[in-house]
Amino acid sequence: MNAGGPEVAVRERASLGEGPVWDAAAGRLIWVDILSARVHTYDPVSGRRTVMATEQHVGAARPRAGGGLVVNLRDGIGLYGPDLAFSWLVRDPVPGRRGNDAAVAPDGALWAGTMRYDEAPGGGSLTRIAPDGTTMREATAAVSNGTGWSPDGRLMYYADSPTRRIDVFDVAGARVLNRRAWVRIEEPAGYPDGLTVDAEGCVWVALWDGAAIRRYTPDGRLDRIVALPVRRPTACAFGGAGLRDLYVTTARTGLARPHPLSGSLLVLPDAGQGLPGTPFGG
């Protein structure tokens, strides 16, 4: 494991960069700028980038099994085909609410979070969306954020950022049960945002207003802190050859004097060993 610091993968001025995910079929990283309504892709081998505008604020974009993307938008869950033709899978507009982070479970279902623009407690939720569009709401939240699964699929980790906690659920088929606090982030260290789980079952979490990425072992012990030059890292995901590089999205929104790299996509080369992702089954 390389203990070195971050490098710049994509120099960008994203307002609210979020949701990195490795698209293994295409050999590229996908990430979004929520408030600019943009989906970005980056191929670390060729350096090729693309940027696609969406019609609404986009909280997350994830690969689909048949090609294209599933997106967590302001008014619900949308689908882009391989030709980028758009359709709604679940349309559920609520004034003052938008989609936020989302992740695909090992069974191919999408777990999509929402939040109110004013971040009111209980104004958001975490919902499971099956490939056929069937929904099950599993938790309420203020700012629904990072979601990830243990390597054996028996545990699901989840962060509702204002609580300063990462919680854990037991996975029981399509449902999750027995929610309990797993890790508490002390007040000076920031807020837990997006997270990912590595092949050892350790949880890596971006700390909003904490200028760092942390790794916690499966028993909840903090075993690594990576300091970052930016104040607001938002999420992290393994990608690249062998899933060894940890990519980190960042934000500049709300900062009076953001660091020059705020809004860029950073990378920690050879940070660890990621888990293969699952594309959305719909």
Side-chain angles (χ1 to χ4, degrees):
M1 181 182 295
N2 184 352
E7 300 177 3
V8 179
V10 175
R11 191 174 294 270
E12 183 58 76
R13 292 174 60 87
S15 177
L16 184 51
E18 260 284 10
V21 64
W22 183 249
D23 181 354
R28 63 182 184 175
L29 193 87
I30 300 168
W31 56 288
V32 302
D33 182 353
I34 296 176
L35 299 180
S36 297
R38 299 287 189 271
V39 177
H40 295 252
T41 72
Y42 167 64
D43 179 340
V45 175
S46 68
R48 182 175 183 268
R49 296 179 54 197
T50 68
V51 182
M52 180 184 74
T54 58
E55 294 297 320
Q56 300 181 351
H57 288 163
V58 54
R62 296 290 183 260
R64 298 172 62 193
L69 299 171
V70 57
V71 287
N72 192 17
L73 297 170
R74 184 193 66 202
D75 292 345
I77 306 301
L79 300 175
Y80 285 98
D83 60 354
L84 300 184
F86 177 81
S87 62
W88 286 104
L89 178 64
V90 178
R91 192 168 188 273
D92 180 29
V94 175
R97 190 189 74 176
R98 67 167 174 83
N100 204 43
D101 205 356
V104 178
D107 65 0
L110 182 74
W111 288 73
T114 60
M115 59 175 285
R116 288 191 55 81
Y117 283 95
D118 62 9
E119 301 184 10
S125 64
L126 179 67
T127 299
R128 179 186 187 271
I129 298 97
D132 65 0
T134 301
T135 63
M136 288 192 299
R137 184 167 295 183
E138 295 291 340
T140 59
V143 181
S144 184
N145 257 314
T147 308
W149 290 264
S150 60
D152 62 9
R154 296 173 62 183
L155 299 174
M156 187 181 84
Y157 300 97
Y158 176 60
D160 178 4
S161 293
T163 67
R164 296 188 187 273
R165 294 196 320 262
I166 301 173
D167 290 348
V168 64
F169 296 80
D170 297 317
V171 176
R175 305 301 302 268
V176 291
L177 309 169
N178 192 26
R179 180 178 182 175
R180 65 265 188 202
W182 180 68
V183 163
R184 299 180 187 272
I185 308 298
E186 66 274 21
E187 185 169 345
Y191 297 86
D193 203 326
L195 60 81
T196 192
V197 183
D198 68 20
E200 297 177 358
C202 297
V203 175
W204 299 70
V205 59
L207 296 180
W208 174 273
D209 278 344
I213 300 288
R214 286 186 174 185
R215 188 178 86 154
Y216 290 90
T217 61
D219 61 1
R221 177 176 56 86
L222 175 61
D223 81 336
R224 187 177 179 193
I225 300 175
V226 181
L228 300 174
V230 298
R231 177 175 162 185
R232 291 184 165 172
T234 57
C236 52
F238 283 95
L243 298 176
R244 300 286 306 175
D245 302 330
L246 189 73
Y247 288 91
V248 181
T249 48
T250 69
R252 59 193 297 113
T253 184
L255 296 175
R257 300 177 67 181
H259 187 278
L261 293 180
S262 293
S264 293
L265 177 68
L266 307 179
V267 62
L268 300 170
D270 197 26
Q273 178 61 62
L275 289 168
T278 303
F280 179 57

